[in-house]
Amino acid sequence: MALRMAIAGNPNSGKTTLFNAITGSNARVGNWPGVTVEKKEGIYKKKVSGQTITLVDLPGIYSTSPYSPEGIIARNYILDEKPDIVINIVDATNLCRNLYLTTELLEIDIPMVIALNYIDVLEKDNVSFDVMVLENALGVKVIPISAHKKKGLDEIMNAAYKAAATKRQARSVLRRFSLGDSISKISSILRELNISSSDYIAIKLIEGDQLLLDSLNLNDDAKKNILDAINKIKKDHEDTEGLIADLRYDFITQNCQCAIKNSKKLKETTKTEKIDKTLTHKIWGLPIFFLIMFLMFFLVFGEFEIAGITVMMPGVLAAYGIEWVIAEIGELLARFLSFVNASDWAIGLVVDGIYGGVGAVFGFLPYILVMYLFISILEATGYMARAAFIMDRAFRKFGLSGKSFVPMLMGFGCSVPAVMGARTLENENERRLTILVTPFMSCGAKLPIWTFLTAAFFEGITATLVIFSIYVLGIIMAVITGVIFQKFVFKKQKTPFIMEMPPYRAPDVKTLLRILFEKFKSFAKKAGTIILVSSVIIWFLQSFSFSFKMVDNPNDSIMAKIGGIFAYIFKPMGFGTWQAAFAVLSGFVAKEVVVTTFGTLSGLGDPLENEGLMEQVKAWITSAGIFVSPLAAYCFMVFNLLAPPCLAAIGAISQEVKSKKWTAVILIYQLILAYLISLLIYGLGNLVMLII
Ligand code: GDP
Ligand code: MG
């Protein structure tokens, strides 16, 4: 039997770094809180006394309270799967906060050792640490390590191996306080029922942990006795959870703090405090934040002309580069296929269907990667935690957290990285809600739809207002959705805003590159599966008639017929033509395609490729009566704004919410909202016009 060791600790305490260093595997090292939600397992590179050792990298947690999926996962693993030993990794530069979790873990009946990490930082700052003080206070072995510098790894593994062989008496630091008697009483009731880790469970029950209480399946007698004891405490202390937290911290400051020998404060902390004075300043904090965000967007999407020369920022530059490469390869592919005398449909399938669809989606990749790079830098330096904190108060009002802000902001660029960015939200409901509303932020690919239709139907200042109103509408819908879900779907379940304010640090290049590579990998995987299949299906529907003959005129295609059916649905909003329906459907491939589709349908060509065509296509749109009025065209825009996003983004949504049910809820909600709101605007608009 292999020995099982679990690594538990706060986010950013270096769990993943330690895990990777001792297993040599490639588990991701990152700075996103909550990224290690999946349980990661690996095998120790060496053997100890001929034994194989498996390791589990538990999600980062501040405590074992059931406020986040991470907390529940980690504690269930320790309590139920009973690893042979817990290696509690502690960030020595943040001792107090990290030891909070330690005091909880000590109460569980499992051997434990402490890996005191970041010892290199302490050394650099000339801070000395008295390991004995900590060992005496906590009663477990403490080994100083630097996961980053790979120091002390053999020592910690040997100590863990030794400790795993001996039974450890679970102990609670709370016993010495006034609460001790009540804990003893409840603990002994639990022990009589053969429930292990009785101190731990007793304390959680006093804290009011309903989840744990339910999972125990106590008999009525025991339950009554326990609840009686708890109620007795509650007479004196209303907030038992707060009381217990205070006592734990009291213990830590009285007994552990003095392990840090150098009275001088850690240099890093003071540096951080100084920077924080400016960056989270009451008045300057917000403008600085918006400036940083603006700069980031500019670096990703910026493109301007100066003295006749077009200057492109990294994101745009990379996008043009990729676009060029994709087009060239497409050309080569087409030439090669005609060279080998491939049939028309085979060329169409490969070039337009497979390559065209997947290629179009890869066109987003540079934006995604460059955006992610900047976000990761802001994350790694520690700034993002402050930004979320600044925004939290405003967002809390409509069911979101400050951490929703960044994904939503990214949504104005591209929903794909935005939806992925929602990973920073630990609370499941907040994460789902953020993912749901992010696509309402009008993304870059939707902009051509607005500019194209607005130019065709509106003039002057009205045109500007129309586009502006679309952006505002998206934001309003996000807020309304937040309020609705908060009130009717999620109900209570509010979680406190717990977010670590890590010290400011220079980002680690290796970590950044690894994050980018991970992003690329997950994107390529998606492009190779869901997007590939859907592209082929859409190509087929566009290129074939119901008699399975290839069509020259798109009007004869299956898609046109399907569009004809959907046209009925859009009739009440004034765009009940099959062309408009077709454009909406094609928009699921990528939103730019909506405009391209109008070009194809007019028989004139792609207006996005050829400036001169734009005017003709616009003229065709009005003369062909695709939209019964400018208002109808506006409602078409509203529908495209709120309806489910493109396939790439839908793929990201389903991947991130990890639940078929929730993916369905999100997409159906978006669809219904898009329909109702465009219907409402059409009705109200017509009413207003009737009156004036
Ligand atoms: P996790 O959230 O606990 O998995 O933490 P990570 O392993 O992802 O580490 C967070 C960051 O701290 C990474 O940038 C690591 O490179 C860095 N880090 C981890 N351990 C050490 C260490 O011992 N010394 C230093 N200087 N940096 C470390
Ligand atoms: Mg980690």
Side-chain angles (χ1 to χ4, degrees):
M1 256 291 277
L3 215 57
R4 263 180 324 126
M5 302 188 174
I7 305 178
N10 283 192
N12 284 313
S13 56
K15 284 180 312 310
T16 306
T17 312
L18 175 65
F19 178 83
N20 288 346
I22 50 191
T23 60
S25 85
N26 210 11
R28 183 176 151 183
V29 186
N31 223 3
W32 294 90
V35 126
T36 0
V37 175
E38 297 104 8
K39 164 175 113 185
K40 282 195 175 134
E41 280 183 303
I43 293 175
Y44 182 37
K45 282 191 284 193
K46 306 178 184 173
K47 284 190 176 176
V48 184
S49 307
Q51 262 210 313
T52 311
I53 296 177
T54 60
L55 286 128
V56 181
D57 180 17
L58 293 177
I61 46 172
Y62 298 107
S63 83
T64 57
S65 296
Y67 286 136
S68 67
E70 283 80 2
I72 298 172
I73 292 170
R75 90 163 178 206
N76 283 354
Y77 184 82
I78 298 173
L79 287 176
D80 302 339
E81 318 259 322
K82 297 198 174 54
D84 293 297
I85 184 159
V86 171
I87 300 177
N88 175 213
I89 180 163
V90 164
D91 176 351
T93 68
N94 242 320
L95 195 62
C96 243
R97 198 201 57 210
N98 273 255
L99 287 180
Y100 187 91
L101 176 68
T102 308
T103 62
E104 287 193 339
L105 295 175
L106 282 175
E107 289 154 2
I108 298 177
D109 287 336
I110 288 186
M112 177 171 143
V113 288
I114 290 178
L116 189 71
N117 196 24
Y118 287 94
I119 220 69
D120 57 317
V121 178
L122 292 194
E123 278 169 6
K124 214 177 75 206
D125 293 343
N126 283 323
V127 178
S128 56
F129 200 101
D130 192 341
V131 168
M132 284 307 286
V133 171
L134 214 56
E135 285 187 346
N136 287 337
L138 301 171
V140 293
K141 191 97 189 119
V142 177
I143 308 282
I145 68 161
S146 166
H148 186 59
K149 298 247 153 85
K150 298 194 169 43
K151 271 200 216 150
L153 303 184
D154 287 342
E155 286 84 345
I156 185 73
M157 290 305 283
N158 286 330
Y161 180 79
K162 247 194 232 151
T166 46
K167 215 169 163 297
R168 185 179 68 89
Q169 186 64 47
R171 51 177 294 206
S172 172
V173 301
L174 300 175
R175 285 260 189 172
R176 61 171 72 192
F177 296 101
S178 60
L179 218 51
D181 291 343
S182 315
I183 296 172
S184 292
K185 191 185 258 165
I186 300 173
S187 183
S188 63
I189 300 176
L190 293 169
R191 260 198 314 271
E192 264 166 39
L193 299 168
N194 271 330
I195 292 172
S196 55
S197 300
S198 54
D199 269 15
Y200 174 81
I201 291 178
I203 293 164
K204 281 288 156 209
L205 294 183
I206 295 174
E207 283 183 352
D209 189 330
Q210 192 64 35
L211 202 69
L212 204 54
L213 181 64
D214 294 343
S215 73
L216 291 175
N217 288 323
L218 295 176
N219 60 45
D220 289 344
D221 243 16
K223 204 167 182 171
K224 189 179 162 297
N225 288 339
I226 290 175
L227 289 178
D228 280 350
I230 294 176
N231 284 333
K232 226 159 122 196
I233 307 170
K234 287 223 158 144
K235 260 186 219 144
D236 297 328
H237 307 279
E238 215 172 295
D239 177 14
T240 47
E241 211 176 351
L243 171 72
I244 288 174
D246 286 347
L247 292 177
R248 286 189 198 281
Y249 277 122
D250 282 351
F251 172 83
I252 295 166
T253 41
Q254 283 163 23
N255 301 283
C256 305
Q257 200 70 318
C258 45
I260 297 179
K261 272 287 176 265
N262 201 332
S263 61
K264 216 171 64 190
K265 259 193 163 180
L266 292 179
K267 231 198 280 165
E268 210 172 39
T269 324
T270 44
K271 209 168 56 194
T272 293
E273 275 169 6
K274 258 192 218 143
I275 302 175
D276 258 347
K277 262 202 185 124
T278 323
L279 290 186
T280 56
H281 189 269
K282 255 190 257 157
I283 299 166
W284 297 115
L286 215 56
I288 291 176
F289 171 65
F290 281 115
L291 193 73
I292 290 175
M293 289 296 126
F294 175 80
L295 258 178
M296 184 178 82
F297 263 73
F298 181 72
L299 285 171
V300 178
F301 296 103
E303 186 182 1
F304 58 92
E305 223 165 274
I306 193 163
I309 302 166
T310 313
V311 182
M312 289 182 248
M313 291 295 118
V316 179
L317 196 65
Y320 274 117
I322 290 282
E323 214 170 279
W324 183 81
V325 172
I326 289 173
E328 288 297 306
I329 295 179
E331 190 100 331
L332 278 179
L333 198 62
R335 254 194 247 158
F336 170 76
L337 287 172
S338 55
F339 177 72
V340 297
N341 281 326
S343 55
D344 276 354
W345 72 263
I347 296 180
L349 171 65
V350 175
V351 177
D352 297 332
I354 298 176
Y355 188 75
V358 175
V361 173
F362 262 95
F364 291 124
L365 193 59
Y367 291 121
I368 296 175
L369 291 187
V370 177
M371 180 93 118
Y372 237 92
L373 176 68
F374 287 121
I375 296 263
S376 304
I377 291 175
L378 290 180
E379 266 291 319
T381 54
Y383 181 71
M384 224 42 138
R386 274 82 181 176
F389 179 71
I390 295 174
M391 297 309 292
D392 192 62
R393 265 171 93 193
F395 275 66
R396 196 133 292 263
K397 294 203 178 76
F398 46 92
L400 292 165
S401 123
K403 289 179 221 173
S404 318
F405 179 77
V406 174
M408 283 169 72
L409 193 73
M410 287 166 88
F412 285 114
C414 175
S415 298
V416 177
V419 165
M420 290 178 179
R423 242 180 243 187
T424 40
L425 287 119
E426 290 96 19
N427 180 284
E428 203 103 35
N429 286 340
E430 285 170 2
R431 178 162 58 213
R432 286 168 181 152
L433 188 54
T434 306
I435 290 174
L436 167 61
V437 301
T438 295
F440 295 162
M441 308 298 115
S442 172
C443 77
K446 288 179 186 168
L447 186 60
I449 314 180
W450 318 151
T451 48
F452 174 72
L453 286 179
T454 307
F457 289 97
F458 302 94
E459 270 172 9
I461 186 77
T462 327
T464 315
L465 282 177
V466 162
I467 295 187
F468 183 68
S469 73
I470 288 285
Y471 278 83
V472 174
L473 183 72
I475 298 170
I476 295 176
M477 284 303 134
V479 172
I480 292 180
T481 301
V483 173
I484 292 176
F485 271 71
Q486 167 96 319
K487 261 227 152 76
F488 300 106
V489 184
F490 301 144
K491 292 182 186 132
K492 41 188 186 209
Q493 271 219 20
K494 268 199 194 163
T495 52
F497 183 83
I498 309 172
M499 188 160 185
E500 175 187 19
M501 296 294 145
Y504 289 104
R505 285 187 185 138
D508 180 41
V509 176
K510 237 166 70 193
T511 309
L512 288 178
L513 288 180
R514 202 176 276 183
I515 291 175
L516 287 192
F517 181 66
E518 288 276 334
K519 282 278 149 320
F520 176 79
K521 238 176 34 191
S522 77
F523 192 84
K525 197 170 126 203
K526 206 162 50 202
T529 51
I530 172 169
I531 295 171
L532 181 85
V533 172
S534 349
S535 303
V536 169
I537 293 174
I538 290 184
W539 166 81
F540 176 79
L541 296 177
Q542 275 181 348
S543 315
F544 284 83
S545 67
F546 270 113
S547 46
F548 298 112
K549 284 215 181 69
M550 256 190 119
V551 295
D552 291 325
N553 185 341
N555 296 15
D556 303 328
S557 67
I558 300 177
M559 184 79 115
K561 301 287 180 292
I562 297 175
I565 299 168
F566 277 90
Y568 289 105
I569 302 174
F570 296 130
K571 262 235 157 67
M573 288 102 95
F575 52 96
T577 52
W578 73 262
Q579 292 95 332
F582 191 138
V584 168
L585 292 179
S586 68
F588 288 113
V589 178
K591 295 294 169 182
E592 303 95 321
V593 178
V594 172
V595 178
T596 312
T597 299
F598 284 126
T600 320
L601 293 177
S602 68
L604 292 165
D606 184 355
L608 291 184
E609 298 246 307
N610 185 337
E611 282 287 326
L613 277 182
M614 197 60 110
E615 290 310 314
Q616 293 173 1
V617 176
K618 277 180 214 155
W620 170 79
I621 281 220
T622 25
S623 66
I626 311 269
F627 303 101
V628 302
S629 62
L631 180 62
Y634 184 73
C635 293
F636 177 84
M637 292 189 234
V638 171
F639 188 86
N640 276 289
L641 171 74
L642 301 174
C646 66
L647 285 174
I650 292 177
I653 291 174
S654 93
Q655 181 189 321
E656 293 299 319
V657 297
K658 290 193 189 87
S659 137
K660 286 207 181 74
K661 185 189 121 196
W662 269 95
T663 309
V665 168
I666 289 174
L667 298 181
I668 291 170
Y669 177 86
Q670 289 170 339
L671 204 58
I672 292 177
L673 187 76
Y675 195 83
L676 289 183
I677 298 298
S678 42
L679 192 65
L680 184 75
I681 292 179
Y682 192 65
L684 286 180
N686 275 325
L687 198 69
V688 169
M689 276 192 276
L690 216 67
I691 297 168
I692 53 176

